[in-house]
Amino acid sequence: MPTSPSMVTGPPPAPSSVPPRNRRADLVMALVALALAVWVTSGLWQNPNGRAITVNSSDQALFEWLLAFGAHALTHGDNPLFTYLLNVPDGVNLAVNTSITVYAAVFAPLTYLIGPPATFLVILTLNLAATALAWYWLLSRHLVPTRLAAGVGALVIAFSPGMVSHANAHLNWSAGWLVPLLVWRLFALRESGRWLRNGAIFGVLVAVAFSIAAEGLFFTALALTVFLAVWAAHPANRVAVRAALPCFLRGIAVTAVVAGALLAYPLWLHFAGPQRFHGTGFDPVVHSEDMAAYLAYPRRSLAGEAGLRTSLAPNPTEENSFFGVPLLLLVLVCFGFLWRHATATRRATLFALGVTAVVFTVLSWGPQAVVDGERTGFPLPFEWLGQLPVINAALPARLALVVAPVIGLLLAYTVDRLRADPPRHRPTGLAWAVGYAVALLPLLPTPLLTIAREPIPEFITSGAWRKHVSPGGVLTPIPLTVDVTPDGQRWQAYALAHQQGEFALPAGFFLGPGGPDGRGRIGPVPRTFDSLMDQAGRTGRTPIITDGTRELVRADLRHWRVEAIVLADQVHGAKYDIDEEALRRTATELLGPPQRVHDVWLWSLPPR
């Protein structure tokens, strides 16, 4: 995501000591950022272990599992990027999933201390606050001298509709604090005589970013490439480019070597390892940004609460633009105002920012134009770009996330300009204040929606499962664990975090091979047993079962090496309610009567 090339031309160095007034401003910014982050996540803080995010409980369960598994892998010497605890017997390649390896390692002590759900909440809250503070630091120390301008820009970016939307359980995308750090270290490469040191630091940061948010790192790299290409081509910058280019290229080479060395194994797993896949199972047309979405308001905002929200996003976690008409108009006015008062060098910066915003806006519209929910069939550039390797695994709608930092930068630059050269007429100054208020107040975030989560059965929490499953053996809940029924991964996360031992699951919520045309899919390819359980749980009706059906089910259980089948009294359905009684009837028809153990129904099978 772009920033100003004033960093390339060498801004005045930050003073060695911060004046008291600025220290107070920094403290106020930190408190505001933390308060807003806690406000957005407040529904979970009421009871971290008993609440779940309403619109995305599946991803929450997945990230909680990743934290627990990562901590377990670190302390037991297991591979953190590949596991056989899911998708028995094939396993899961976590390098092609969102493994958040760095978070899992850094927060492992906290995961063991307070459990995966509470650790998830801590990271989510810190992500939002740290994003605001990181942008504030970059703006106030390198781009604008006015703390107010830096604060406005940072808060607009950190709590933009896209960031709040992805706070619905996406620990990767909500880690927006990585972007300003990447920008800072990229532009540090122009420092003469420090290309080796700066390249090495940047390489480490790239490796960390890949291990937390690989897709976000890719988008940041694309945005910076577009921005720098446009900025460097501007006639006003040719001298500066020629002067900085040799040192910059040497630093980039060091970055590539360091990051390549650190990421050699993850990249091999990602592109050539077992259980890999090409592309994604998501439809790029469905997961593209509706053109009208840029003019709309998001659900979790004051405007959304007032009834101005829309359903233009494919789901509530993907409201990646949704800036609203007033903000877009304000941005255009700010751009014109800044352009009118800019030097040639600053106009080069503004032009590069504008081109970057336009390019990523168009790309976010996906392979064909969709307007207010209607597919027009009109082809767009992503139709061809989306065929390229790596890009074919990206969701085009998320490219709109690049636009928010551009907006934040333009708003910050405008505030800084108005503070440095106040309007001569009071009505003009009042008009600017009203314009900012009308554009930004409707977008103030409201708390994420939460629901009570089904409790983890005492059968798991007490460790009673160990009497029915051999060490490392396979246990499965019914329905089997997939994205819409994530209980099994919550159970496994609890067992790992509380160091009860390991049990494996025959399925799981993950991305793996098996989709159409060699692409990926969510979860394993369905077999007879899990299809029957899914049908019973969803419809409340017992499927037709024959002797042939029972034989197919027995073959499935042998394939998975299942030792225990467990039905909890309360089963969580992420998208629909689950009928537990229909599940018990169906499993009994297939496997015979269960036994009651603690608070679950259990069908035991001999170890294989």
Side-chain angles (χ1 to χ4, degrees), residues 1 52 82 93 96 98 100 142-143 161 205 212 261 325 349-350 390 413 429 529 573 578:
M1 296 180 186
F82 197 95
N93 185 339
V96 295
T98 306
I100 58 167
H142 293 282
L143 301 178
L205 181 59
I212 294 176
V325 173
T349 300
L350 293 172
V390 183
Y413 286 146
F529 182 64
I578 301 296

Side-chain angles (χ1 to χ4, degrees), residues 2 134 179 250 489 539 578 582:
V179 177
R250 286 194 291 268
Q489 268 167 276
T539 66
I578 301 296

Side-chain angles (χ1 to χ4, degrees), residues 139 143-146 148-150 152-153 327 329-341 346 350 353 406-423 428-429 431-433 435-436:
L139 285 162
L143 301 178
V144 293
T146 308
L148 176 62
V152 170
L327 179 55
L329 291 176
L330 176 63
V331 169
L332 292 176
V333 172
C334 288
F335 188 89
F337 172 76
L338 293 169
W339 187 272
R340 181 181 177 186
H341 295 88
R346 177 50 65 94
L350 293 172
L353 286 172
V406 175
I407 290 175
L409 286 168
L410 293 175
L411 295 183
Y413 286 146
T414 303
V415 171
D416 183 62
R417 176 73 190 185
L418 292 171
R419 294 277 290 183
D421 185 16
T428 303
W432 277 109
Y436 269 72

